[in-house]
Amino acid sequence: MQEEQLTLVSDDGQTVFARAWMPDTRARQRGVVHLVHGMGEHSARYAHVAAALVQEGYALFAADLRGHGHTLTRGLGDFGPSGFAGLVQDVVQLDKEIRSRCPGLPVFLLGHSMGTVVAAHALPQLGPKLAGLILSGTIPKRKDVRIGRWIAHHIAKRYGDDHVSPWLTKLVFGAYNRPFRPGRTPFDWLTRDVAMVDMFVGDERCGAPLTAGAFQSFFQALEQQLSPALIRHIPSALPVFLISGERDPVGGFGKSIRDWVRALERQGVRDIKWRLYPEGRHEMLNELNRDEVLQDLLAWLKAHTHD
């Protein structure tokens, strides 16, 4: 497996760091998975996913979204002046890079957690070109999102867009660990695999809270993720695979994935597959049964790849 580090420039001039994991020979390559990571993490966390995909002939590309990993504007957790729209720009830019490097190969878009929201907002530009869409750990459209956006707006107005509010962070994430008390760490809700949790906690580029400005723009995007205006951009012929854990507090313990299935069915999407894994938490690709999840993902990719 070959790993390459890339530097891209989005339309607004933002420099974006990305990684590409490729099969050793071009002849072995069957397709490309474009991964969009979640909040408070970065592309390097998916090297084990890349290893499984590359072994079966699929390249994996992933950018560090703005305010994450090595793509920084003003610091970790800060989306910068373009807000959430900048994250979408970065995904579109990496898609262009993928297609220039891998012409003719099918491209599958995989979004995890916050990455599912970014992917949804990228569909108006990318949807018709994709070979498939994979969503992991989808986030429900909660009733209190509008309230959260209002609070973030007023905190940003008073203290500035780049202000980090511990109170706002606790409001958003504080409830996630409650189902798993007594908690060993604040991030037990991510996965049952304590080694993976400890790696996350020990990674200085993981777990950084969003700024008030970033939260505000994210909440606005989250409100819109299942709106008819976005869903209608999903082609009815686009294959969609959704995965989640039954014990994922971010996904409402299975509520969000069902909301997505209903929205896709209303749109007329014909090829929908979804799996809820018993006892699984938020990061199914880092769960104790991640080998099972990866095999399900590979089986789905192979079924939608025409050699």
Side-chain angles (χ1 to χ4, degrees), residues 23-266:
D24 291 330
T25 63
R26 180 70 171 79
R28 292 188 59 221
Q29 198 163 332
R30 306 172 67 181
V32 181
V33 175
H34 175 179
L35 186 144
V36 188
H37 67 71
M39 186 184 297
E41 58 165 352
H42 53 83
S43 59
R45 295 190 74 223
Y46 293 88
H48 66 292
V49 177
L53 293 175
V54 165
Q55 188 172 357
E56 298 298 327
Y58 294 92
L60 179 67
F61 283 71
D64 286 356
L65 299 175
R66 300 179 193 206
H68 295 78
H70 295 287
T71 303
L72 301 181
T73 52
R74 292 182 287 245
L76 288 172
D78 193 327
F79 294 167
S82 296
F84 185 87
L87 278 62
V88 179
Q89 284 185 41
D90 299 344
V91 168
V92 173
Q93 189 64 38
L94 183 53
D95 179 82
K96 293 176 183 176
E97 182 72 15
I98 290 169
R99 294 179 189 279
S100 69
R101 288 170 173 257
C102 308
L105 288 175
V107 179
F108 299 87
L109 185 62
L110 191 170
H112 169 67
S113 192
M114 182 184 73
T116 68
V117 186
V118 180
H121 282 262
L123 288 173
Q125 298 179 71
L126 302 186
K129 299 186 289 185
L130 294 174
L133 175 66
I134 306 140
L135 300 178
S136 160
T138 53
I139 305 174
K141 184 181 177 182
R142 295 186 178 88
K143 296 178 182 178
D144 58 358
V145 166
R146 188 169 298 176
I147 297 172
R149 181 160 67 95
W150 182 86
I151 293 171
H153 167 74
H154 284 276
I155 290 176
K157 187 175 181 181
R158 181 171 182 179
Y159 299 106
D161 283 344
D162 59 350
H163 177 72
V164 175
S165 167
W167 179 76
L168 180 58
T169 302
K170 185 176 180 180
L171 179 70
V172 176
F173 295 106
Y176 290 160
N177 243 18
R178 288 176 193 161
F180 311 109
R181 290 184 292 190
R184 194 178 64 89
T185 77
F187 296 100
D188 292 353
W189 53 273
L190 291 177
T191 168
R192 293 167 292 166
D193 190 328
V194 296
M196 284 292 186
V197 172
D198 288 345
M199 286 175 64
F200 183 93
V201 172
D203 189 333
E204 63 181 9
R205 294 185 182 272
C206 285
L210 293 187
T211 62
F215 264 132
Q216 182 182 347
S217 63
F218 172 65
F219 285 144
Q220 183 175 4
L222 184 56
E223 278 188 273
Q224 300 166 352
Q225 72 162 330
L226 287 179
S227 67
L230 279 183
I231 293 296
R232 68 182 174 84
H233 288 285
I234 302 179
S236 59
L238 182 68
V240 180
F241 184 28
L242 302 105
I243 61 176
S244 186
E246 284 188 343
R247 296 280 288 160
D248 177 10
V250 181
F253 302 97
K255 178 185 183 299
S256 182
I257 194 171
R258 292 181 173 93
D259 288 346
W260 266 96
V261 169
R262 284 191 290 268
L264 292 168
E265 289 175 341
R266 287 195 298 269

Side-chain angles (χ1 to χ4, degrees), residues 192 244-247 275-280 284 289 292:
R192 293 167 292 166
S244 186
E246 284 188 343
R247 296 280 288 160
R275 280 211 61 181
L276 267 173
Y277 293 91
E279 299 302 319
M284 288 311 308
N289 63 321
E292 174 192 8

